[in-house]
Amino acid sequence: MNAETEDIAADKAEARTLYAAHRASAHKAQTDAASRLADQLSTLQTALPEHIRAGSIIAGFWPYRSEIDCRPLLASCRQAGMITALPVTGEDATPLTFRRFSDDTALISGRFGITEPSETAEMLVPDIILAPLLACDMRGFRLGYGGGFYDRTVASLNASAKKVTSIGAGYDIQLVRHVPVGAFDQPLDGMLTPSRFVQFDKDR
């Protein structure tokens, strides 16, 4: 690890502590955030009509710690004719995989204790990934927990025949001015909050 990488790692560790506290405060204060996030579906459909439509595969996440709850949004997606999925976390240094998620999906406790679909659920390749985060800046760079799972996933899918649109999902306070960026970090295409959808400049 060179000095620059050590500096970035230290900056990220400090930022994670700060933004985890901010997210926890928002989670405690905004008890209606999940329903308000679901109300943003029409905004997403207007902004991304080629991606958010009947038949699209939308991958969300099961809320962990103080992450925003996107399950009501996924339910709204299903009502609009979309197919929804949840991530399955594998070994270190591997991309996420995704399995179909609906009201009757059998669920298990996966790696890190995060709820995920069992092996009986159909494996899918998403068109849209809703990603949890600690913070995201206006360049689209996301601060996660440090495992690199989402970065590997986005890079892997975008290198394949099927491109993916990645959108951060979180509280308004999580959209910040700047987050530390490493060499392998993949920028998001947008950020969805209970009050708005921000689409990032593709030429950033």
Side-chain angles (χ1 to χ4, degrees), residues 84-181:
T84 58
L86 291 179
V88 175
T89 305
E91 299 298 322
D92 289 347
T94 62
L96 299 164
T97 56
F98 299 87
R99 291 186 180 274
R100 190 164 189 151
F101 169 61
S102 61
D103 291 335
D104 58 356
T105 298
L107 301 170
I108 62 171
S109 178
R111 195 169 180 200
F112 309 118
I114 301 173
T115 299
E116 61 187 38
S118 75
E119 293 182 356
T120 61
E122 177 188 6
M123 291 193 70
L124 299 170
V125 179
D127 299 297
I128 298 279
I129 293 177
L130 299 174
L133 43 78
L134 289 167
C136 177
D137 67 21
M138 290 301 296
R139 300 169 298 170
F141 286 107
R142 166 187 174 272
L143 183 69
Y145 299 119
F149 289 102
Y150 277 92
D151 293 312
R152 289 187 197 91
T153 303
V154 170
S156 176
L157 289 173
N158 283 339
S160 70
K162 183 173 184 178
K163 306 294 184 182
V164 68
T165 298
S166 56
I167 299 172
Y171 301 94
D172 288 279
I173 197 173
Q174 291 180 265
L175 187 58
V176 302
R177 218 169 147 185
H178 175 81
V179 299
V181 178

Side-chain angles (χ1 to χ4, degrees), residues 181-204:
V181 178
F184 300 104
D185 291 345
Q186 300 291 314
L188 299 168
D189 295 295
M191 173 78 175
L192 182 69
T193 76
S195 69
R196 58 179 173 156
F197 173 60
V198 179
Q199 196 164 2
F200 300 126
D201 184 0
K202 292 183 179 180
D203 298 321
R204 57 189 176 282

